[in-house]
């Protein structure tokens, strides 16, 4: 995505720190944020996509700890 498109450069204004931290901690949220920020349509549905991405990312992080504590 970084090499073949300008989504991340447009969304994060050419910075390097925020996209790298985003891919480490919340990868899907970073991709959806960059995609929706550069999309032509704006509105409430964009916020919904971003919230779904955050829930999926945080669910993956917390799900492993929850399963581990049951053992």
């Amino acid at each position: 995505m970084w090499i073949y498109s300008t989504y991340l450069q447009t969304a994060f204004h050419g910075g390097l720190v925020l996209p790298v931290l985003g891919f480490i901690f919340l990868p899907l949220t970073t991709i959806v944020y960059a995609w929706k920020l550069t999309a032509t349509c704006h509105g409430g549905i964009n916020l919904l996509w971003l919230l779904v991405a955050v829930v999926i990312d945080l669910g993956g992080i917390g799900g492993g700890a929850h399963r581990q504590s049951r053992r």
Side-chain angles (χ1 to χ4, degrees):
M1 185 174 192
W2 198 309
I3 294 171
Y4 295 113
S5 72
T6 60
Y7 286 157
L8 291 175
Q9 288 86 359
T10 303
F12 296 106
H13 305 292
L16 183 64
V17 175
L18 284 177
V20 170
L21 288 175
F23 278 121
I24 291 172
F25 295 109
L26 299 170
L28 185 61
T29 303
T30 304
I31 291 170
V32 169
Y33 174 75
W35 175 51
K36 286 302 182 182
L37 192 66
T38 57
T40 57
C41 61
H42 297 346
I45 195 75
N46 290 342
L47 181 61
L48 179 66
W49 281 111
L50 192 62
L51 289 175
V52 167
V54 169
V55 167
I56 290 172
D57 278 338
L58 293 179
I61 292 171
H66 180 68
R67 263 187 253 120
Q68 189 68 14
S69 66
R70 285 188 170 198
R71 288 184 181 185

